[in-house]
Amino acid sequence: MSWSALPAAGPSSSDPVTLDEAAARATDAASWVEENWSTWLSIGLRIVLILVIALVLRHVIRRALTKLIDRMNRSVQSVEGTALGGLLVNAERRRQRSEAIGSVLRSVTSFLILGTAALMMLGALNINLAPLLASAGVAGVALGFGARNLVTDFLSGVFMILEDQYGVGDTIDAGVASGEVIEVGLRVTKLRGDNGEIWYVRNGEVKRIGNLSQGWATAGVDVMVRPSEDLDRVRAVLGRVTEKMAKDEVWGERLWGPVEILGLDSVLLDSMTVRLSAKTMPGQSLAVERELRWRIKRAFDEAGIRIVGGLPPVVEQASAPDPAAGVSAPSALASPTSPQSQAASPLNPSPANLPGPSPAPSNLSK
């Protein structure tokens, strides 16, 4: 008794297989499976265990990072309505910064955990990882050269956020653009300029940052008066103005120190300049300067002290005109005796040729 194998592709078929040969092959396959099933089972269990541990560890770490970010946001919201919160804490800035940091940390954590798990699973399958790692290294180098601007922008954004160089609500000078920060991203920072325009600045292009909203700002005012004014009287009026402004509830919070009268900054023939300076809240220096000028002008008007401007513009006087410039060149027609003048003068008729009354007849003709 014999079994025939399935026909192969084409009109021809393979040789018939006997029952004894089929039984022998089945016995060899069963023995091979019996010998290797334990190895397969151990490899499968190892891969499943690696995958489960990686997923659990990734979930735990991401959840911990999310809770940490939420706790930071709640701490910001708890002081948002207080005076300290309004002075030192920008809730939107802290929220965006914490979310950006959390996103970066979660992405890095997922990449490291899942990447390590994938390599461990390939190692469990007895796959040689050396060519794979070499290929990945070459691909990473090629990607680094091809997308170096993108990588530069991303890394610059990460360090800007981690170092808290600026945030939402800050007024900065980034060199390529300046304005108020309205959004901070890992690749692009959005600024709103003085005229309302929105600037999209790549983080990799920023070589320097001038933050005008950190620490404190300086308000400086120059007052120009006539040189004949009494300096002691001017100082007394300025002292009353600055003291009253410091006691004001609204402006007293913006001033972080007394307004200092630094003294004379310059003395000219028709004016002298008195300089004032004060430390203010970040971003409030211009408002303090405007209010201080307003109060000084009103106080000087009441005291009869005149504020003068700068030197009048010097107008360069033109040189005296040349008197000979208006004299025309001598002409031949100016002389009445010249041939040109006689040729151009009209002809005078003789008295004989002039028409007139005919003479009366003489009596001698009779």
Side-chain angles (χ1 to χ4, degrees):
M1 182 178 179
S2 64
W3 288 352
S4 298
L6 293 175
S12 62
S13 61
S14 60
D15 296 334
V17 179
T18 62
L19 182 60
D20 296 336
E21 292 177 353
R25 292 180 181 179
T27 303
D28 294 338
S31 60
W32 182 80
V33 170
E34 183 179 1
E35 292 175 358
N36 296 283
W37 75 269
S38 58
T39 305
W40 294 349
L41 182 60
S42 62
I43 293 175
L45 291 178
R46 187 182 303 174
I47 293 175
V48 171
L49 182 61
I50 292 173
L51 184 60
V52 170
I53 292 176
L55 294 177
V56 171
L57 184 61
R58 174 177 175 271
H59 176 73
V60 170
I61 294 179
R62 289 174 64 91
R63 187 176 179 83
L65 292 175
T66 303
K67 287 185 176 181
L68 179 62
I69 299 303
D70 293 340
R71 182 177 302 176
M72 293 173 58
N73 292 333
R74 285 196 301 268
S75 64
V76 172
Q77 294 175 1
S78 62
V79 297
E80 183 178 0
T82 62
L84 180 62
L87 185 63
L88 299 178
V89 178
N90 188 320
E92 180 65 17
R93 168 181 174 175
R94 293 290 299 273
R95 185 188 65 81
Q96 288 198 7
R97 178 171 178 261
S98 60
E99 288 183 356
I101 294 176
S103 176
V104 172
L105 293 178
R106 285 192 292 265
S107 300
V108 172
T109 300
S110 299
F111 177 77
L112 292 178
I113 293 177
L114 296 182
T116 304
L119 293 178
M120 293 177 66
M121 287 187 291
L122 292 177
L125 294 174
N126 295 326
I127 297 177
N128 188 8
L129 299 179
L132 181 62
L133 294 178
S135 302
V138 173
V141 172
L143 181 62
F145 278 105
R148 58 183 181 274
N149 291 333
L150 182 62
V151 175
T152 302
D153 297 340
F154 181 82
L155 294 178
S156 300
V158 170
F159 282 107
M160 286 178 182
I161 293 175
L162 292 177
E163 296 173 0
D164 195 18
Q165 298 179 7
Y166 55 84
V168 175
D170 288 353
T171 302
I172 66 172
D173 181 2
V176 293
S178 60
E180 181 182 355
V181 180
I182 59 177
E183 184 177 345
V184 179
L186 294 177
R187 192 181 69 87
V188 175
T189 297
K190 294 171 63 176
L191 305 177
R192 184 173 295 279
D194 297 333
N195 297 325
E197 69 276 11
I198 296 180
W199 298 98
Y200 294 85
V201 181
R202 288 171 43 196
N203 295 329
E205 293 182 349
V206 179
K207 304 301 180 183
R208 61 173 179 82
I209 291 291
N211 196 325
L212 307 179
S213 301
Q214 287 184 352
W216 46 268
T218 302
V221 175
D222 292 337
V223 182
M224 300 181 67
V225 296
R226 294 178 298 182
S228 59
E229 297 291 345
D230 187 2
L231 288 177
D232 295 334
R233 186 162 171 261
V234 171
R235 180 186 292 272
V237 174
L238 292 176
R240 290 195 299 267
V241 171
T242 56
E243 183 179 358
K244 184 177 180 180
M245 185 174 178
K247 292 181 180 179
D248 191 285
E249 183 178 356
V250 177
W251 297 102
E253 295 180 355
R254 304 183 184 184
L255 290 172
W256 282 12
V259 181
E260 299 180 2
I261 304 175
L262 302 180
L264 284 177
D265 187 66
S266 63
V267 179
L268 303 176
L269 293 177
D270 60 346
S271 66
M272 55 184 180
T273 304
V274 181
R275 172 161 294 184
L276 292 82
S277 178
K279 289 184 179 181
T280 67
M281 288 176 54
Q284 297 295 326
S285 58
L286 293 179
V288 171
E289 289 176 0
R290 296 189 183 101
E291 181 66 18
L292 194 57
R293 293 190 188 99
W294 184 283
R295 292 172 180 257
I296 291 175
K297 178 63 171 64
R298 295 183 59 183
F300 277 12
D301 290 343
E302 295 176 357
I305 301 175
R306 181 181 175 184
I307 297 178
V308 297
L311 288 175
V314 178
V315 180
E316 296 183 359
Q317 297 181 355
S319 59
D322 188 4
V327 179
S328 61
S331 175
L333 298 176
S335 177
T337 60
S338 63
Q340 293 83 357
S341 178
Q342 292 178 1
S345 62
L347 297 176
N348 295 325
S350 60
N353 297 330
L354 292 176
S358 58
S362 174
N363 293 332
L364 295 178
S365 61
K366 295 180 179 179

